[in-house]
Amino acid sequence: MNAPRTLGILGTGLIGASIGMRARREGFRVLGSDRDPGAVFSAVEYGCIDEACARERIYDESDIVVLAMPLDAVIAEIESLAAAHLRRPPAILDVASVKGPVVRAARALTGFVGTHPMAGGEGSGPSSASAALFDGRTWAYVPSHDADSTAIVANFIAAMGAHPIPVDADVHDATVACTSHMPQIFAWLFAERVRALSDPGANQLYGPVARELMRIGEVRAPFWASVLQANAANVSRELRTMAAALENYILNTP
């Protein structure tokens, strides 16, 4: 099988722009599209993509298409593709941080593989993109019934510098509720509590964990609302378990 050489990206935020930047470094020709014209032209300016183009051309010319939009937009795009008469590239992948709803929506979409790179940052958009964003990071993917598309995606993940690991979609969502979504909520609440302190010198008394929580607590990306809503049952379970553990700790502390 020949290595794919043209990559199409729908969505040029931090993740999409960083994928494009790394792909160009790896020798891909990268086409990009975004609902925000300013974002896609910034992606060209910052060297994240080679060319801005229409969505239809992305599918027509690409060997791999990355759906790098918020969760709701990814699902809408998948549903649109199911009814559209567009060329299907050998592989299509998304990068949303919840996998169950995406994989279920894409059940009949040939060549689709759901993925989730465990990487990110406080910045947003092409100006914050980095070709090294995924270096050494885990990048989960849900194997599809199409072995060729799954192999293309796993190899593409490795080309981004990440470690591809196969996961079950529902197991993934239950796990990240504890390892990613709950910590983000805790960081928001912790940052709000610190800001409410009357001591103006509180920031001089941060320990290393507090500094990290404050950093994470500043992230208020719009995509979080749809992610937490989609994974609400798992997140609620983890929050209740942690709340019970905290209550038990208080009751048993001398």
Side-chain angles (χ1 to χ4, degrees), residues 8-17 19 32-36 39 55 58-59 65-81 92-99 102 109 112 115-117 221-224 226-227:
I9 300 174
L10 295 178
T12 53
L14 174 65
I15 298 298
I19 289 172
S33 180
D34 198 293
R35 289 180 295 181
D36 177 0
R55 165 181 175 267
I58 294 259
Y59 287 104
V65 171
V66 177
L67 308 183
M69 306 101 83
L71 177 63
D72 291 347
V74 167
I75 293 175
E77 179 68 15
I78 289 170
E79 292 171 347
S80 174
L81 280 173
I92 303 171
L93 64 141
D94 80 305
V95 293
S97 60
V98 176
K99 295 273 66 77
V102 172
L109 186 59
F112 181 84
T115 86
H116 178 201
F223 71 83
W224 272 112
S226 60
V227 166

Side-chain angles (χ1 to χ4, degrees), residues 1-253:
M1 185 184 302
N2 295 327
R5 289 292 92 188
T6 299
L7 175 69
I9 300 174
L10 295 178
T12 53
L14 174 65
I15 298 298
S18 295
I19 289 172
M21 188 177 285
R22 178 59 176 253
R24 292 187 73 217
R25 197 175 88 179
E26 298 298 320
F28 283 82
R29 168 180 172 245
V30 182
L31 305 177
S33 180
D34 198 293
R35 289 180 295 181
D36 177 0
V40 75
F41 288 117
S42 290
V44 174
E45 179 184 356
Y46 284 100
C48 304
I49 63 175
D50 291 293
E51 186 179 351
C53 65
R55 165 181 175 267
E56 292 74 17
R57 191 174 154 209
I58 294 259
Y59 287 104
D60 190 50
E61 298 184 20
S62 300
D63 300 292
I64 299 176
V65 171
V66 177
L67 308 183
M69 306 101 83
L71 177 63
D72 291 347
V74 167
I75 293 175
E77 179 68 15
I78 289 170
E79 292 171 347
S80 174
L81 280 173
H85 298 289
L86 294 172
R87 171 188 172 271
R88 300 286 173 80
I92 303 171
L93 64 141
D94 80 305
V95 293
S97 60
V98 176
K99 295 273 66 77
V102 172
V103 170
R104 285 189 283 276
R107 226 176 244 131
L109 186 59
T110 304
F112 181 84
V113 180
T115 86
H116 178 201
M118 303 304 294
E122 300 83 63
S124 63
S127 63
S128 298
S130 168
L133 186 66
F134 312 105
D135 282 350
R137 299 298 186 94
T138 295
W139 191 323
Y141 68 96
V142 181
S144 78
H145 53 79
D146 185 331
D148 287 343
S149 297
T150 299
I152 290 171
V153 169
N155 289 334
F156 178 73
I157 289 170
M160 296 296 100
H163 300 303
I165 62 163
V167 296
D168 173 82
D170 292 330
V171 171
H172 167 276
D173 291 354
T175 302
V176 297
C178 179
T179 63
S180 177
H181 302 165
M182 181 176 66
Q184 181 64 64
I185 293 170
F186 186 83
W188 286 331
L189 297 175
F190 177 81
E192 288 177 8
R193 170 63 187 142
V194 171
R195 285 193 290 266
L197 292 176
S198 58
D199 182 3
N203 62 348
Q204 298 176 25
L205 299 175
Y206 290 167
V209 175
R211 282 196 297 273
E212 184 67 4
L213 286 172
M214 291 300 292
R215 182 186 68 80
I216 298 170
E218 295 302 321
V219 177
R220 284 284 184 177
F223 71 83
W224 272 112
S226 60
V227 166
L228 294 176
Q229 182 178 9
N231 207 23
N234 289 320
V235 172
S236 177
R237 183 190 63 248
E238 293 302 329
L239 289 172
R240 290 176 186 279
T241 299
M242 181 58 73
L246 289 168
E247 183 69 19
N248 184 61
Y249 183 85
I250 292 169
L251 293 174
N252 290 283
T253 299

